[in-house]
Amino acid sequence: DQQVKQNSPSLSVQEGRISILNCDYTNSMFDYFLWYKKYPAEGPTFLISISSIKDKNEDGRFTVFLNKSAKHLSLHIVPSQPGDSAVYFCAAPLTQGGSEKLVFGKGMKLTVNP
Amino acid sequence: DAGVTQSPTHLIKTRGQQVTLRCSPISGHKSVSWYQQVLGQGPQFIFQYYEKEERGRGNFPDRFSARQFPNYSSELNVNALLLGDSALYLCASSLLGFYEQYFGPGTRLTVT
């Protein structure tokens, strides 16, 4: 049961253009979302987050948009740089039955071409 | 400051064996979580420990166990290894809970 879905496994863009990474979720109890970036042979690195009380959060070249009614969020990278090439994961914390866990999507591989 | 460290980096085990993976959190971080990442999938939550107590457990069999030490380092143990346990095991630490977790580089476990 995939509660956080990243339906596109990969995306390729040209340097300087916008990259848009999408994420859908099914659990209405999610109230906070995080994006992580992962390079090969490294652990995921926290990138940006958004609370459900907001619909946008911006940090430099990275902006995350949240559409609660559609249960959809997206990460925009502008302008894209070759160093942004990595796998990006969307994640959400979930508290259930006294247990806390972080639920990840399958990830999307972004390739930024020079 | 040192980030999250994990050891060993790579490990090859045989089916039925037992394995122990180790994690040292960022200094000052009291929460440690363990994840399993199978190729092509996102990390799957296994355990969270905070102040040496288990705070969360994912949908993994009892062959998986963990503990946290007084210095907040942690061990993940897997008994009776199966081929399907082959994966990247990630450790993450944070000051509190799940927000802005910092991940280590992972331990690549191969079960043959």
Side-chain angles (χ1 to χ4, degrees), chain A residues 49-57 64-68:
Chain A
S49 62
I50 188 167
S51 166
S52 61
I53 63 173
K54 294 185 175 182
D55 54 17
K56 176 182 175 181
N57 188 29
V64 57
F65 295 92
L66 175 61
N67 182 334
K68 290 185 290 294

Side-chain angles (χ1 to χ4, degrees), chain A residues 6-47:
Chain A
Q6 294 177 261
N7 294 318
S8 299
S10 63
L11 174 68
S12 182
V13 300
Q14 286 299 120
E15 180 178 6
R17 306 294 289 269
I18 185 172
S19 295
I20 299 177
L21 291 75
N22 293 307
C23 177
D24 297 294
Y25 61 96
T26 59
N27 194 328
S28 300
M29 294 184 67
F30 290 151
D31 60 4
Y32 196 86
F33 301 89
L34 307 92
W35 284 93
Y36 284 85
K37 177 172 70 174
K38 186 180 184 301
Y39 294 119
E42 295 183 12
T45 302
F46 170 74
L47 193 57

Side-chain angles (χ1 to χ4, degrees), chain A residues 1 4 6 8 26 45-46 51 64 71-72 78 88 110 113-114:
Chain A
D1 179 23
V4 177
Q6 294 177 261
S8 299
T26 59
T45 302
F46 170 74
S51 166
V64 57
K71 293 190 175 66
H72 176 83
V78 183
Y88 290 78
L110 173 66
N113 301 301

Side-chain angles (χ1 to χ4, degrees), chain B residues 2-88:
Chain B
V4 178
T5 59
Q6 292 185 245
S7 63
T9 305
H10 296 88
L11 204 52
I12 299 175
K13 290 285 190 178
T14 305
R15 276 179 297 177
Q17 286 188 315
Q18 176 264 344
V19 68
T20 298
L21 311 180
R22 295 176 176 83
C23 171
S24 292
I26 292 172
S27 177
H29 285 192
K30 298 180 180 181
S31 175
V32 171
S33 297
W34 287 95
Y35 296 83
Q36 180 196 66
Q37 187 183 9
V38 175
L39 195 62
Q41 301 291 320
Q44 296 291 312
F45 172 75
I46 310 176
F47 286 109
Q48 188 210 13
Y49 277 77
Y50 180 74
E51 285 283 14
K52 301 178 287 295
E53 291 191 2
E54 182 183 302
R55 287 283 300 275
R57 172 186 283 259
N59 189 24
F60 280 82
D62 292 342
R63 299 184 295 108
F64 289 76
S65 64
R67 55 179 175 170
Q68 187 177 33
F69 298 98
N71 66 354
Y72 303 110
S73 67
S74 178
E75 286 182 352
L76 174 70
N77 295 285
V78 187
N79 294 322
L81 284 167
L82 303 174
L83 294 179
D85 295 331
S86 295
L88 179 68

